[in-house]
Amino acid sequence: MSREVYAPPTLGTPAANAASGSLYTSIDQAGPLTQYLCGECNAKVQLKKGDPIRCKECGHRVLYKERTKRMVQFEAR
C-alpha cells in the first residue's frame, strides 16, 4: 500500500511556486487591518494581528473596536 506523504507548502518566490504547481502564490502573514478607537484621545488606530495593543498617538492601551456599518438584525421570540 502506497501512501502519499504530506508536503507542507513552502514560502518561496511566486515564480518558484508557479513552477511547482502551487495554487497559492503568496500568503499574507500579517492579515487584514482592523479599525479601533482610542479610549483616551479618540484617534482611529489600524492594527494587524500581532501588533501591540497601544494607541500610536498617545500610547494609551484601551482600544475600542468600531461598530460595523452593516445592519445587524436579531429575531426575537
Side-chain angles (χ1 to χ4, degrees):
M1 287 188 181
S2 165
R3 290 188 179 226
E4 292 183 24
V5 177
Y6 173 73
T10 59
L11 294 176
T13 62
N17 288 340
S20 67
S22 175
L23 281 173
Y24 306 104
T25 57
S26 66
I27 300 173
D28 187 14
Q29 296 291 333
L33 290 172
T34 308
Q35 193 84 2
Y36 293 95
L37 289 172
C38 176
E40 185 73 18
C41 66
N42 291 329
K44 290 187 178 184
V45 180
Q46 290 184 342
L47 296 178
K48 295 181 285 191
K49 182 178 179 182
D51 283 351
I53 302 171
R54 183 163 287 208
C55 177
K56 292 178 170 73
E57 301 295 323
C58 67
H60 196 67
R61 296 189 65 170
V62 176
L63 300 177
Y64 298 101
K65 192 169 185 180
E66 283 191 331
R67 187 179 293 237
T68 182
K69 307 288 188 236
R70 192 173 47 166
M71 186 177 93
V72 179
Q73 182 176 358
F74 296 100
E75 185 178 329
R77 292 189 190 182

